[in-house]
Amino acid sequence: VLVKFTVHPDGSISNPSIFRRPSKNEAVNQEALRLVNALPNFRVKYYIPHLKKSFTCYLPITFKEPGAIFIRGDKSN
């Protein structure tokens, strides 16, 4: 799941949404959004302080099945 969200100059996060590759399982999509909302505030530093603006971040989140081991894209037991 690829989640898109906005980081403000004070480090707060807003507008999380599924950007691309939504899961077929809606519970997984909701959990990804919950995880992004639970992130702590970012510590934002700017090279030019008078040009403080919000910026967009993209965060890929991968969920794996419990007990399943994936090595190089192949399933193994």
Side-chain angles (χ1 to χ4, degrees), residues 5-77:
F5 57 95
T6 303
V7 178
H8 300 285
D10 65 350
S12 63
I13 298 168
S14 68
N15 304 328
S17 63
I18 304 296
F19 180 66
R20 194 174 2 145
R21 290 182 271 145
S23 173
K24 294 176 184 174
N25 185 345
E26 188 58 34
V28 169
N29 294 332
Q30 294 303 317
E31 181 64 12
L33 293 175
R34 188 195 68 76
L35 288 173
V36 170
N37 281 323
L39 288 173
N41 283 353
F42 284 60
R43 291 182 2 197
V44 181
K45 299 287 183 178
Y46 291 93
Y47 289 113
I48 305 172
H50 67 277
L51 293 179
K52 292 184 178 181
K53 293 183 180 178
S54 299
F55 58 93
T56 303
C57 284
Y58 298 88
L59 180 66
I61 299 177
T62 304
F63 295 96
K64 293 186 179 177
E65 210 176 315
I69 300 173
F70 295 101
I71 300 174
R72 295 186 186 164
D74 295 329
K75 287 185 178 181
S76 344
N77 293 327

